[in-house]
Amino acid sequence: MNSHNTMSVAEAIRTRRTVRHYRPDPIPGATLDALLALAIEAPTSWNLQDRSIVVVSTEQGRAGLTWAAGGQPQPQEAPVVMVFVAQPQSWRDDHSDVHEQARRSGAWNDEFIAMFSTASRAFQEDLDQRGLLREYAVKDAMIAASFLMLAATEMGLATSPMNGWDEAKVKKVIGIGDRDDLAIALLVSVGYAAEERRHPGRRARERNVFHGSHGPLGAGHAARQE
């Protein structure tokens, strides 16, 4: 895609629709690589990069995800399904490669790295005590999924974020059935649309955007304003 045809972020947000039916056309390798590169640019808490993406494109793998998703058409028809995996325990791993990369780029110096590492561990230990490690890792994976869907839209690809699946089955399909330290955040089908989906619309902004404090919800209630 040349620069003259590049879609803006705003256009991608407004254009993206959830597509359930796909043409069988494969996604070119270079396009897929570019899409994944953009997805992993998504921010993560403490730059732990505590999420990963499993690219499922074989007929057998997609059949497995169809089974895990209760027979939904997306994995059957889309040439690729991305499985976003949250890694709640990754903060315990060695992150020296992350620190070295930031050091080389000039983003972090040694003093900052030392401070950041100590603060990050303390933060994660607190999450662990409160049982929130999974929640935080899933949030990071979901941000990456959002980046991927917008990037796919700009590339002329259709997507469907899928949340209707059995986690144990999905984990079995992608080979992590015995990994209690990992969690499934989202499945996203990717391919070329075989249907046109119209925008169903969104509620008025005053219904779900508030300033300063959360307003009452429900019909007949006005948003609180400052």
Side-chain angles (χ1 to χ4, degrees):
M1 180 179 296
N2 62 50
S3 59
H4 297 292
N5 294 327
T6 299
M7 182 182 292
S8 70
V9 175
E11 289 172 321
I13 290 172
R14 295 190 179 101
T15 303
R16 185 214 61 80
R17 300 271 70 80
T18 294
V19 169
R20 290 173 58 83
H21 296 288
Y22 297 82
R23 306 200 309 264
D25 311 49
I27 301 173
T31 301
L32 190 59
D33 288 344
L35 182 61
L36 291 165
L38 292 170
I40 63 174
E41 285 291 332
T44 63
S45 178
W46 299 93
N47 199 28
L48 289 174
Q49 301 175 49
D50 53 346
R51 75 288 179 270
S52 50
I53 307 169
V54 179
V55 182
V56 180
S57 57
T58 66
E59 185 174 348
Q60 180 181 1
R62 291 186 293 106
L65 292 180
T66 300
W67 164 69
Q72 294 184 64
Q74 297 95 309
Q76 300 178 56
E77 300 179 13
V80 175
V81 179
M82 309 285 190
V83 181
F84 287 79
V85 180
Q87 304 168 189
Q89 302 298 328
S90 69
W91 64 279
R92 303 181 191 276
D93 300 335
D94 178 21
H95 283 77
S96 58
D97 61 318
V98 174
H99 302 158
E100 179 57 31
Q101 187 176 45
R103 183 186 292 110
R104 287 198 309 268
S105 70
W108 299 353
N109 59 29
D110 290 340
E111 181 181 5
F112 181 84
I113 290 171
M115 178 278 297
F116 197 72
S117 298
T118 300
S120 173
R121 176 162 287 275
F123 186 84
Q124 300 301 318
E125 288 173 346
D126 178 64
L127 291 181
D128 192 16
Q129 292 174 5
R130 294 188 289 145
L132 295 176
L133 286 173
R134 177 188 173 109
E135 178 180 327
Y136 269 66
V138 167
K139 288 175 183 176
D140 284 346
M142 295 294 286
I143 296 171
S146 295
F147 270 48
L148 181 134
M149 287 189 288
L150 293 180
T153 302
E154 189 269 337
M155 294 177 183
L157 293 164
T159 59
S160 174
M162 300 178 63
N163 201 30
W165 33 260
D166 182 292
E167 181 173 51
K169 291 180 179 179
V170 173
K171 291 173 75 172
K172 182 177 181 180
V173 171
I174 63 172
I176 57 170
D178 59 344
R179 295 288 301 275
D180 292 337
D181 59 315
L182 301 176
I184 304 302
L186 194 70
L187 274 60
V188 179
S189 56
V190 186
Y192 297 97
E195 63 176 347
E196 180 180 353
R197 298 298 297 271
R198 293 176 179 264
H199 193 347
R202 295 293 185 262
R203 284 174 165 169
R205 182 165 49 182
E206 57 268 21
R207 178 68 181 259
N208 49 34
V209 176
F210 307 98
H211 298 271
S213 61
H214 198 289
L217 297 178
H221 292 287
R224 295 178 64 179
Q225 302 292 330
E226 288 187 330

